[in-house]
Amino acid sequence: MTATSRFEITERSKVKRLPERGHYDRALAYEILDQALICHVAISTAEGPLVLPMAYARMDDQLVLHGATASRLLQLTGTGQPISLCVTLLDGLVLARSVFHHSMNYRSVVVFGHARLIDDDREKARALDCLVEHLAPGQTGYARAPTAKELNATCVLAVPVTEVSVKRREGPPKDSKADYELDIWAGVVPLQTVTGKPEPDPLVRADTPLPEHIGRY
Amino acid sequence: MTATSRFEITERSKVKRLPERGHYDRALAYEILDQALICHVAISTAEGPLVLPMAYARMDDQLVLHGATASRLLQLTGTGQPISLCVTLLDGLVLARSVFHHSMNYRSVVVFGHARLIDDDREKARALDCLVEHLAPGQTGYARAPTAKELNATCVLAVPVTEVSVKRREGPPKDSKADYELDIWAGVVPLQTVTGKPEPDPLVRADTPLPEHIGRY
């Protein structure tokens, strides 16, 4: 199956508010999905919607999620309930001349769909590798690999990246015309997620060096 | 109304997976809500759940959300549909000796409830001040205040912070006992959101200085 380079726009994936911020381009969606670290997953329950943060990774044209086999969210979604996932990168505070035009620069991807439980062992192992490599590149070849028992205790779901909205705001504030005359500073304060100095587990063996790949994070 | 210092645990707010990570303490929830910049809001629609990123702020014991009066999400939630909001701070990558015990340090707050449309003008103006001050402290006293027309174009919702789960993971990885003998580095790579150097709008007046409060972000 070859994925299309543009997503088909559906009633629910169509960006209705500020449509100029809406995009349906697969390459842009993948750039955002590959850069962000966590997603927020929503499901509908009898008592109302539930939203939770989760690790995720892109595996080809799917997003994969994992959790304990006993997890409520994964049990619910694995039965084919509709699901919605959102990944958001916050790029800046947009400070306008007017309070009204304050905004944020961001890039977000919303995926609508159904989750499929991955039960094939090889596919599951590959999905777990994707999850670890997404957050901690190089660790699948370095840390101890999962045992059969550990794999059984883990539940992995796949959601196709098919019905998707991408939203992006970038650049300086857009003020009302008359406000450009005001003696008020306006601009963007960039935001970024950064890594700090690795903190060794106090129980790590004294002769174990920090591997080069972790030093590069 | 005096808010309780601990949230009452309900069936849906009870942390079921890894209950040792669950907290129901109002002060901890407020610390997280006041530090994070955006939330993810979920609602249920006829086609399934919808999750979107939104700005928010805490106003006393409520969270306030805003958007254009025409916004689909706000129209739906303003009619009293159940809503779920999640705020997540990512604090670190937890690198274990085994792939299986890789994790993340994080703090998250999930709020369940119903949104109320704020129609009182003074309450609405205060909620909008909270929203701006949450993201850009000092801007309400600096940028041009909203006009009546701008206030009318904005819809503000309040969600009580009453039914709440807080989850937190902190500290080093927890590996299986035998793995502590392995010659594999383990520890935490801290993550943090930082601000960069303010970037002036190219159209800002040349004689307008960067205000001190923005320089402090």
Side-chain angles (χ1 to χ4, degrees):
Chain A
M1 188 185 76
T2 311
T4 55
S5 66
R6 285 182 62 78
F7 300 113
E8 193 184 332
I9 302 174
T10 65
E11 182 52 34
R12 63 181 174 181
S13 74
K14 188 176 176 182
V15 174
K16 293 170 191 71
R17 284 297 311 156
L18 305 175
E20 69 278 13
R21 293 189 188 166
H23 301 269
Y24 306 92
D25 177 54
R26 191 176 288 272
L28 176 61
Y30 285 6
E31 188 187 304
I32 298 166
L33 293 170
D34 292 347
Q35 185 182 338
L37 297 174
I38 59 161
C39 70
H40 282 82
V41 178
I43 55 166
S44 298
T45 75
E47 296 114 35
L50 172 65
V51 54
L52 290 177
M54 293 191 84
Y56 76 95
R58 184 170 67 83
M59 178 167 78
D60 306 325
D61 301 321
Q62 305 168 89
L63 295 184
V64 291
L65 304 171
H66 79 311
T69 302
S71 147
R72 175 173 54 149
L73 185 85
L74 293 173
Q75 282 179 347
L76 284 168
T77 50
T79 58
Q81 280 205 28
I83 187 177
S84 171
L85 293 96
C86 183
V87 165
T88 306
L89 293 166
L90 211 48
D91 293 326
L93 304 172
V94 179
L95 307 177
R97 293 153 185 87
S98 60
V99 162
F100 184 70
H101 284 290
H102 274 59
S103 187
M104 280 189 273
N105 281 340
Y106 65 96
R107 288 166 289 156
S108 69
V109 177
V110 179
V111 177
F112 302 90
H114 292 81
R116 169 180 66 90
L117 188 70
I118 297 184
D119 46 20
D120 176 79
D121 283 347
R122 282 172 61 181
E123 191 184 11
K124 186 170 169 178
R126 188 175 159 231
L128 288 170
D129 279 356
C130 289
L131 281 157
V132 172
E133 289 295 311
H134 178 69
L135 289 167
Q139 284 292 91
T140 54
Y142 176 72
R144 175 178 67 67
T147 62
K149 194 180 161 191
E150 288 172 344
L151 285 175
N152 282 336
T154 308
C155 164
V156 185
L157 299 177
V159 181
V161 184
T162 306
E163 197 174 348
V164 179
S165 310
V166 180
K167 284 180 81 179
R168 178 172 60 183
R169 194 214 180 277
E170 54 188 352
K174 289 192 175 64
D175 268 302
S176 302
K177 205 172 168 191
D179 290 338
Y180 282 88
E181 302 303 318
L182 296 173
D183 182 24
I184 294 177
W185 190 90
V188 173
V189 176
L191 292 169
Q192 205 187 345
T193 299
V194 297
T195 54
K197 196 170 172 287
E199 299 165 352
D201 180 346
L203 300 176
V204 87
R205 284 172 44 168
D207 56 345
T208 302
L210 179 76
E212 206 186 320
H213 68 275
I214 298 175
R216 278 196 301 267
Y217 287 173
Chain B
M1 187 184 78
T2 310
T4 55
S5 66
R6 284 181 63 77
F7 301 111
E8 192 185 333
I9 302 174
T10 65
E11 181 52 34
R12 63 182 173 180
S13 74
K14 188 176 177 183
V15 174
K16 293 169 190 75
R17 284 297 311 157
L18 306 174
E20 69 279 11
R21 293 189 188 165
H23 301 270
Y24 306 92
D25 177 54
R26 191 177 288 272
L28 176 60
Y30 285 5
E31 187 187 304
I32 298 165
L33 293 171
D34 293 346
Q35 185 183 337
L37 297 174
I38 59 160
C39 69
H40 282 81
V41 178
I43 55 165
S44 298
T45 76
E47 297 113 36
L50 173 65
V51 55
L52 290 177
M54 292 189 86
Y56 75 95
R58 184 170 67 83
M59 179 168 78
D60 308 324
D61 301 320
Q62 305 169 89
L63 295 184
V64 290
L65 304 171
H66 78 311
T69 303
S71 147
R72 174 172 54 150
L73 186 85
L74 293 173
Q75 281 179 346
L76 284 167
T77 51
T79 58
Q81 280 206 28
I83 186 176
S84 172
L85 292 95
C86 183
V87 165
T88 306
L89 293 167
L90 212 47
D91 293 326
L93 304 172
V94 179
L95 307 177
R97 292 153 186 86
S98 60
V99 161
F100 184 69
H101 284 289
H102 274 59
S103 187
M104 279 188 273
N105 282 341
Y106 65 95
R107 288 167 287 156
S108 69
V109 177
V110 178
V111 177
F112 302 90
H114 292 81
R116 169 180 66 88
L117 189 69
I118 298 184
D119 47 20
D120 176 80
D121 283 347
R122 282 171 61 181
E123 190 183 11
K124 186 170 170 179
R126 189 175 158 231
L128 288 170
D129 279 357
C130 290
L131 281 157
V132 172
E133 288 295 310
H134 178 70
L135 289 167
Q139 285 291 91
T140 54
Y142 176 72
R144 175 180 64 69
T147 62
K149 195 182 161 191
E150 287 172 344
L151 286 175
N152 282 336
T154 309
C155 164
V156 185
L157 299 177
V159 181
V161 184
T162 306
E163 196 174 349
V164 179
S165 310
V166 181
K167 284 181 80 178
R168 178 173 60 183
R169 193 210 182 280
E170 52 189 352
K174 289 192 174 64
D175 269 303
S176 302
K177 206 173 168 192
D179 290 339
Y180 282 88
E181 302 303 317
L182 296 173
D183 182 23
I184 294 177
W185 190 91
V188 172
V189 176
L191 291 170
Q192 207 187 343
T193 299
V194 297
T195 53
K197 195 169 172 288
E199 299 165 352
D201 180 346
L203 299 176
V204 86
R205 282 172 44 166
D207 57 345
T208 302
L210 179 75
E212 208 186 320
H213 68 274
I214 298 175
R216 278 196 300 267
Y217 287 172

